[in-house]
Amino acid sequence: MNHYKNTLKMTALGLALVAGQALAHGNVTPQAVDTKGLEELGTEWLETNPYREGHPQHELAIKVGASAYNQNCAACHGLEGISGGITPDLRYLEVGDYGDEWFKERVINGSVRDGRVYMPKMADFLSQEALWSIRTWLESVAVEQ
């Protein structure tokens, strides 16, 4: 009987933790990103990722993006971009301009459904340089479908 009670307690605890994560999604305190060394992009959003392969600062953008992702995105989207299933696995974002369009829309507008914030408007907190560097890093770890 004690084993049964302990199993129920552990199951309830596990469900409470998972529910807490699901309900807290989008409740993120963005962390500052050091973009020193990256070309300043200004306040007007570019249509496509300026740091894509071939740009002289591509490797620096990957390094900045990896750090920025870990500080600001990994709590919800998973370490190394690998989602645990509640949020999109960002390694599967389409690379190139079409993926840039989706990425830009999401970081500028966030994601809200039925009044619940699923992703904050990250562009309200992070610079264009920081966000495009995250996109650059995501492309460096992209998985083709």
Side-chain angles (χ1 to χ4, degrees):
M1 186 61 137
N2 271 348
H3 176 69
Y4 178 72
K5 285 182 182 179
N6 285 338
T7 301
L8 282 176
K9 286 179 187 176
M10 292 305 289
T11 301
L13 177 62
L15 288 172
L17 289 172
V18 169
Q21 285 293 321
L23 294 173
H25 188 77
N27 187 13
V28 178
T29 302
Q31 302 298 307
V33 176
D34 181 5
T35 60
K36 187 172 144 190
L38 289 176
E39 170 189 351
E40 291 186 21
L41 303 175
T43 57
E44 190 70 31
W45 267 86
L46 302 177
E47 292 300 315
T48 60
N49 183 358
Y51 303 127
R52 192 158 279 126
E53 194 165 346
H55 188 280
Q57 296 173 325
H58 177 72
E59 293 301 319
L60 176 58
I62 290 173
K63 183 179 175 182
V64 170
S67 175
Y69 176 90
N70 285 328
Q71 293 171 2
N72 293 289
C73 311
C76 295
H77 290 283
L79 295 174
E80 301 301 316
I82 303 169
S83 172
I86 293 175
T87 59
D89 188 317
L90 299 179
R91 298 171 306 145
Y92 291 99
L93 286 179
E94 187 168 329
V95 297
D97 293 351
Y98 180 76
D100 288 351
E101 182 181 341
W102 185 91
F103 179 82
K104 178 183 166 186
E105 189 280 328
R106 188 53 49 116
V107 299
I108 291 173
N109 298 309
S111 176
V112 177
R113 276 190 309 261
D114 300 324
R116 296 180 71 185
V117 175
Y118 286 84
M119 181 173 152
K121 298 176 181 181
M122 296 305 287
D124 288 353
F125 306 101
L126 300 179
S127 69
Q128 182 174 194
E129 295 84 1
L131 290 164
W132 282 126
S133 68
I134 291 171
R135 172 74 172 139
T136 304
W137 176 77
L138 286 169
E139 285 192 340
S140 78
V141 297
V143 175
E144 289 190 33
Q145 296 183 31

